[in-house]
Amino acid sequence: MDSTTQLTIRRTGTTTPARTSGSPAPPGSHEITHSGAHVYDPDRPTGSLHLRAARVLEGNWTGTSTVPSHGLYPHQWSWDSAFISIGLRHLSPLRAQTELETLLGAQWGDGRIPHIVFNPSVPLDAYFPSPDFWRSSTAGRAAGAPRTVQTSGIVQPPVHALAAWLVHQADPGLSRSRSFLSRMYPRLAAWHRYLLHRRDLGGGGLASVVHPWEQGMDNSPCWDAPLSRVTPAAPRSFRRADLDHGSAEDRPTDLDYGRYVRLATDYRDGGYADGAGEFAVEDPAFNALLIASEHALAAIAQELGAAGTARHARAERLTAALVERLWDPAEGMFFCRDVYGGDGGDGESSGGDARDGRRSGALSSERRSPESGALAPERHSSESSAHGSERRSPESGALAPERHSSESSAHGSERRSRQSGAHASEQRSRAGALIPERSVAGLLPLILPALPRDIAATLVRTAGGPHFGLGGVARLAPSYDLTGHAFDPHRYWRGPAWFNTNWLLERGLRLHGEHGRAEELRAALLETADTSGFAEYVDPYTGEACGALGFSWTAALTLDLLHEPARADQADRSDQSTHVVSHPGHRAFDKAQGTPPHTSHASHTPHTPHSSFETGAKGGDRG
């Protein structure tokens, strides 16, 4: 059996008959054959949406990861791979695990997961900024950038722990046999520590992004005011490869792009040290995904034998900080906070309410260590017992994020940075100002299980109101306010609807009991994916395709939505200790092979789910 076949054949507790390129497909199934690989689509008609989505992912697979699209985005992107793995788990849990393993294999010593992992076989002029711009192995040496792979130096939203947990649930037996979670946990824990310690630039406990590309919604009008302080790079100093694949009318302007390049250049030339740049924004979507992934890390810790309660408690404290820092009750949604605006900038981004001058007290008791003023969640008294149980030796099979040998240098450098960060005092002194622009990012905290009920209800009303039109004038939720001054239904992140943000909204609606609205959005997503050719993004009114076609996360999240009924059934199960995410495709394949469906090991630790993510129901321009 060749290696690509191994990637796509579902493994179970008993031996599955090996397939070769010449052997027949299982009865009643169809298969995709590209480059010798097999992805099974059991009991589905040829030409089905499921099969076409699987073909997109197969066509964009490189052997170790999936590109968003071969033309415009020919490398591996961070949050793309997280969303892609969530869909891939329905086709091949092994390939989904490989997707995340490849990405986290490029993690930096300080814990950051870079937003691009470059494919060395792709010509430098195929994408900008290219590896020779970022110079990660040299400019990022002090931050622990890897020497054997080239990456960017910025990050993207932290969806990764959530993705890892869902991928594990797709085939717990395979995951355990490969020690998938025990290998991923130390890296994911280091990633979260980096964001919570090094990126708390506003001092309120939330992570800041230091470049618009980091938040993922690269060209959002939310960035206009903080970017206005940035002197753009000269147009002749770079060449925009994105315009080779898309209309200039749909892409960021040259002025905006010049500012993106200037920010990235300054960050690189400063050795990728955090806190020294001109741009720092606390974004509600970025932090909501961090909180959701913190809940997922708690579930992973519990699977590996630790309590997990400390991480759940931290996630709930972060939820309180999110509300304190970014919620605007008068407008009924969350807003971005310009950390250097209002009190430290030129005032251009002011516009927040009376709370802007008020420091968050949500995390005041546990946020800082006496020695450094940095975050110190590991030492918080309520977490000591949990973390003690999580620091077991690698030999025991339990968690050991602090002492795991492969992570020692990463944790060492991260701890040193907390103690001696040059900008520590400045980072913890910014109140900033809310940015009065309505973005879909302000709705995405709906994915959080501990969100106060009244806030969740208000977000649902805002999503269906005139600014976003969900369930009314808009087919899918737009990326930006339909009534906003900068709205454009086709320009990148300034109005078009995106599948990943709507997928998150669908989960949030379902999590908070809005099942009818969630089902309407699910149906609209599937119809739009079908008619748009799995477009990168679409006109929110008409569903007209924009950007790249055959886009990987659109196809992947389509697969996840198609498998949703199986996950909904699981949410009603009372015994969380033995259930396995059971997908129609996997079960049909198991039956066709004469193999019993896999069941969990008896050693699985029971737990009470804190969110729908734990039950399996699920609750840019890229630089």
Side-chain angles (χ1 to χ4, degrees):
M1 175 165 44
D2 62 33
S3 59
T4 52
T5 302
Q6 288 177 330
L7 284 174
T8 54
I9 291 181
R10 165 151 159 76
R11 297 186 177 185
T12 64
T14 58
T15 303
T16 301
R19 294 274 329 284
T20 64
S21 58
S23 60
S29 72
H30 306 279
E31 70 179 77
I32 307 159
T33 56
H34 291 285
S35 304
H38 298 258
V39 174
Y40 297 104
D41 182 36
D43 300 325
R44 297 181 187 276
T46 302
S48 69
L49 184 61
H50 181 282
L51 184 62
R52 287 185 284 117
R55 282 178 174 148
V56 169
L57 294 180
E58 182 65 16
N60 289 341
W61 176 251
T62 68
T64 55
S65 64
T66 309
V67 299
S69 69
H70 278 291
L72 187 54
Y73 307 117
H75 302 285
Q76 183 179 24
W77 264 261
S78 174
W79 74 327
D80 289 74
S81 278
F83 288 121
I84 289 164
S85 69
I86 290 170
L88 272 177
R89 69 191 174 120
H90 301 295
L91 299 176
S92 167
L94 180 57
R95 183 172 286 188
Q97 291 177 28
T98 302
E99 184 81 36
L100 294 173
E101 290 164 351
T102 300
L103 178 67
L104 268 68
Q107 186 174 22
W108 289 30
D110 63 3
R112 80 182 75 193
I113 297 174
H115 97 297
I116 302 176
V117 180
F118 289 107
N119 182 343
S121 67
V122 173
L124 288 178
D125 62 358
Y127 186 83
F128 179 85
S130 52
D132 57 342
F133 172 87
W134 294 104
R135 306 171 198 164
S136 60
S137 59
T138 54
R141 185 179 295 119
R147 297 181 180 181
T148 58
V149 62
Q150 292 297 311
T151 75
S152 65
I154 59 175
V155 303
Q156 275 190 321
V159 199
H160 311 89
L162 171 59
W165 177 239
L166 295 177
V167 167
H168 162 79
Q169 287 186 305
D171 192 335
L174 173 67
S175 175
R176 293 176 186 131
S177 70
R178 300 185 68 247
S179 301
F180 173 66
L181 289 182
S182 61
R183 288 184 291 108
M184 292 295 101
Y185 183 90
R187 294 183 176 275
L188 293 168
W191 169 222
H192 284 208
R193 278 195 300 275
Y194 167 78
L195 293 173
L196 292 170
H197 300 319
R198 297 289 298 277
R199 290 298 189 90
D200 180 13
L201 304 181
L206 300 181
S208 293
V209 296
V210 299
H211 195 290
W213 290 338
E214 292 198 313
Q215 193 267 359
M217 304 177 194
D218 313 346
N219 196 38
S220 171
C222 294
W223 319 136
D224 290 354
L227 278 176
S228 68
R229 297 191 294 268
V230 178
T231 302
R236 63 182 179 277
S237 65
F238 59 90
R239 190 190 77 82
R240 296 183 57 179
D242 63 314
L243 297 182
D244 295 340
H245 302 276
S247 169
E249 288 74 23
D250 294 346
R251 305 295 297 175
T253 65
D254 286 342
L255 177 61
D256 285 334
Y257 215 94
R259 287 173 168 146
Y260 303 154
V261 172
R262 171 65 65 191
L263 279 176
T265 301
D266 291 347
Y267 194 39
R268 177 199 68 199
D269 293 348
Y272 296 110
D274 295 311
E278 299 177 81
F279 184 98
V281 174
E282 294 172 355
D283 174 75
F286 190 99
N287 281 280
L289 289 169
L290 174 60
I291 296 166
S293 280
E294 191 70 16
H295 280 301
L297 265 186
I300 293 172
Q302 199 162 354
E303 163 68 23
L304 296 177
T309 53
R311 289 200 176 276
H312 280 309
R314 183 182 301 137
E316 291 175 3
R317 291 195 301 272
L318 288 169
T319 301
L322 184 75
V323 172
E324 175 70 20
R325 296 280 290 177
L326 306 184
W327 174 247
D328 189 325
E331 297 298 333
M333 66 180 300
F334 291 86
F335 288 91
C336 294
R337 180 175 289 274
D338 180 3
V339 172
Y340 299 153
D343 66 336
D346 57 11
E348 290 181 81
S349 61
S350 62
D353 56 26
R355 295 169 302 122
D356 286 341
R358 189 171 71 198
R359 289 293 301 275
S360 168
L363 302 181
S364 59
S365 64
E366 73 276 7
R367 195 168 60 240
R368 293 164 176 73
S369 69
E371 298 83 8
S372 65
L375 290 168
E378 305 297 349
R379 299 189 180 110
H380 192 275
S381 59
S382 67
E383 300 178 17
S384 58
S385 60
H387 283 284
S389 66
E390 293 177 15
R391 293 194 189 106
R392 299 170 192 169
S393 66
E395 292 78 14
S396 69
L399 299 178
E402 297 297 343
R403 295 178 183 149
H404 194 282
S405 59
S406 66
E407 300 298 319
S408 59
S409 62
H411 291 290
S413 63
E414 195 275 337
R415 284 194 295 270
R416 287 191 296 273
S417 70
R418 292 209 308 259
Q419 296 165 359
S420 62
H423 306 284
S425 60
E426 179 188 359
Q427 289 173 8
R428 315 256 183 257
S429 63
R430 300 285 190 177
L434 294 183
I435 300 172
E437 297 286 2
R438 296 179 181 88
S439 160
V440 70
L443 304 178
L444 295 188
L446 201 60
I447 65 174
L448 300 178
L451 196 67
R453 184 174 300 179
D454 60 327
I455 291 180
T458 301
L459 284 177
V460 172
R461 289 195 297 271
T462 300
H467 298 294
F468 295 95
L470 190 61
V473 297
R475 178 178 295 196
L476 300 177
S479 51
Y480 176 68
D481 183 0
L482 295 171
T483 69
H485 67 96
F487 175 78
D488 185 327
H490 290 176
R491 191 179 287 276
Y492 209 67
W493 290 110
R494 300 179 84 85
W498 292 72
F499 285 82
N500 63 331
T501 55
N502 278 270
W503 178 87
L504 289 166
L505 279 177
E506 194 268 355
R507 268 52 192 167
L509 289 168
R510 203 173 294 279
L511 173 63
H512 290 283
E514 297 286 342
H515 298 290
R517 295 176 191 268
E519 188 55 38
E520 288 179 5
L521 180 53
R522 174 179 177 269
L525 278 163
L526 291 175
E527 179 185 4
T528 306
D530 189 7
T531 58
S532 71
F534 304 103
E536 181 182 2
Y537 52 99
V538 298
D539 183 307
Y541 291 118
T542 67
E544 176 189 349
C546 303
L549 300 182
F551 200 70
S552 288
W553 78 26
T554 303
L557 298 178
T558 295
L559 284 171
D560 197 61
L561 290 168
L562 287 170
H563 285 280
E564 187 162 277
R567 292 201 310 276
D569 292 342
Q570 294 156 30
D572 297 329
R573 300 187 187 183
S574 60
D575 184 4
Q576 296 296 325
S577 65
T578 59
H579 91 268
V580 177
V581 175
S582 174
H583 307 306
H586 285 168
R587 179 165 293 178
F589 178 65
D590 292 338
K591 289 171 66 177
Q593 292 295 319
T595 308
H598 184 76
T599 56
S600 303
H601 292 187
S603 62
H604 181 59
T605 306
H607 71 280
T608 301
H610 282 64
S611 76
S612 60
F613 292 124
E614 291 184 58
T615 65
K618 288 200 233 180
D621 181 90
R622 302 159 171 250

